[in-house]
Amino acid sequence: MIKNIQHIDYVILLCDDFAGMKAFYQDLFGFSVATEREDVLAMSVGAMTFCLRKRTRHYDGTSPGVQHPGVQIAFRVASGEVDLCYAELQSKGVTILDPPTDQFWGHRTVFFRDPEGNLLEFYEELER
């Protein structure tokens, strides 16, 4: 059982029409922008980050026959825990979408799905 989750840090809404979703959320809520790239918009909402991300990864529902999730939930774990989470997921027979990887945005991640097809992630902050 994975026990060292510190909190849910951010929620990502996966988008087909990224520009339209970005306009909708910015116009409706006016959240302050934390990070903006061509395919990602991260907005501060209290202690959480709410992100919009264009579907670009093979497991986002862009490939034929791949489930089409609408939400990505990121669970932050302590430094050094992503690989332990990965081992626990494997021991429980969970299908891994993307094994532990150091991402350019400063996280070490592992991606997988829940039984309904939602995209889940364990991540830790990388030392800079």
Side-chain angles (χ1 to χ4, degrees):
M1 177 181 301
I2 297 170
K3 299 178 183 178
N4 294 327
I5 295 171
Q6 297 174 345
H7 63 279
I8 295 175
D9 193 50
Y10 58 91
V11 173
I12 298 172
L13 187 59
L14 302 176
C15 309
D16 292 312
D17 177 9
F18 181 73
M21 291 289 281
K22 178 179 165 183
F24 174 83
Y25 279 93
Q26 286 186 312
D27 291 347
L28 184 62
F29 296 107
F31 298 138
S32 65
V33 174
T35 304
E36 186 169 4
R37 294 194 327 250
E38 180 180 323
D39 59 348
V40 174
L41 176 67
M43 299 166 282
S44 299
V45 184
M48 281 188 71
T49 302
F50 176 68
C51 300
L52 302 175
R53 181 170 67 76
K54 183 165 180 59
R55 292 179 196 276
T56 56
R57 299 178 185 151
H58 68 92
Y59 48 79
D60 286 347
T62 57
S63 301
V66 175
Q67 292 176 322
H68 197 79
V71 169
Q72 175 179 332
I73 302 172
F75 299 92
R76 183 168 55 180
V77 297
S79 180
E81 294 282 320
V82 163
D83 292 291
L84 297 173
C85 291
Y86 174 65
E88 181 72 15
L89 292 168
Q90 287 186 306
S91 77
K92 295 190 180 298
V94 174
T95 301
I96 303 300
L97 300 171
D98 203 5
T101 304
D102 291 349
Q103 305 290 351
F104 70 88
W105 58 83
H107 293 171
R108 181 162 181 76
T109 61
V110 61
F111 290 95
F112 57 103
R113 287 196 197 287
D114 69 13
E116 293 284 326
N118 294 301
L119 185 58
L120 304 177
E121 165 192 359
F122 287 121
Y123 84 95
E124 63 188 65
E125 298 281 345
L126 293 173
E127 300 293 324
R128 293 182 187 234

